[in-house]
Amino acid sequence: MTGSVSAGRIDPMEQFKVEPVLGHHLTLFGYDVSFTNSALFMVVVFVLLAVFISGGLKRQLVPGRWQVAAEDAVSFIDNMVSVNIGAGGKKFAPYIFSLFYFILFANLIGVVPLAILPGFHTFAVTSHITVTAILAFLSFAIVLVVGFAKHGFKFFSLFVPHGAPLALLPVIVPVEFISFMVRPFSLALRLFVAMTAGHILLEVFGSFAVQGFTAGGGLGSLVGVLSFVMIIGVSALELLVCAIQAYVFALLTSLYLHDAVHLH
């Protein structure tokens, strides 16, 4: 639990506040270049992911569990790009791999209960729209670059469904164009909303549990116990959501790349 309590009121949004790690802001040429908690946990995600992948580089004749896990992780992404992108999809495997496992590790680290230690708490970087938007627009930019590089202006045929009646094209083309342009926004918002909602629920039920046990009495203890049970349930659901959201983000990116490579 990392929210603040002021005059009996709970602020579940406190946990999403971006703050300098060293406690003060650092400016350079008028810009704030402070090393924040958000940046810190992105570095933590990168380091953990690098350590995990290093286990797959051992190339032992009889692989250990670490190497098997790393190789399975790579095979999982290889299968995803092979199935969803098809021919020519292998070259996108490194990006999809990085995208999927960065989001997965960031999501999982965000739910580690470090707040039970005084002065420690995790920071969910994927609960910030700026992070998810950068990932989404980067994926969208790659789709555009691939599409125009491979097909040129023929890429615009993506907005004309095969076999569509000519009379309906004035309606179909704008709808297809809008649905295409909405893709990065839907990618960013889906991940952002899912992670933010889960952390807010955990904060609220955590506050109920603390206040219930603190109040004492039969009713207070009942509220505390029920809230604690809800924390367990929401935590289990959060772990599932962490994996699902990473998978959905990578899967949709693969499908969008399929459109860019193969058009219809």
Side-chain angles (χ1 to χ4, degrees), residues 167-205:
L168 294 179
L169 288 184
V171 176
I172 294 176
V173 171
V175 171
E176 290 289 331
F177 177 76
I178 292 173
S179 66
F180 180 81
M181 297 302 295
V182 165
R183 288 178 175 181
F185 299 98
S186 64
L187 275 178
L189 288 173
R190 183 183 293 107
L191 177 58
F192 158 70
V193 170
M195 299 310 300
T196 302
H199 283 73
I200 290 177
L201 280 176
L202 285 174
E203 174 67 28
V204 170
F205 284 120

Side-chain angles (χ1 to χ4, degrees), residues 129-144:
I129 188 64
T130 51
V131 175
T132 61
I134 288 174
L135 295 175
F137 280 98
L138 176 61
S139 298
F140 189 66
I142 292 174
V143 169
L144 292 178

Side-chain angles (χ1 to χ4, degrees), residues 52-57 65-75 97:
F52 172 68
I53 294 304
S54 67
L57 302 178
R65 295 181 180 178
W66 192 350
Q67 182 177 339
V68 170
E71 290 177 351
D72 286 344
V74 173
S75 297
F97 179 92

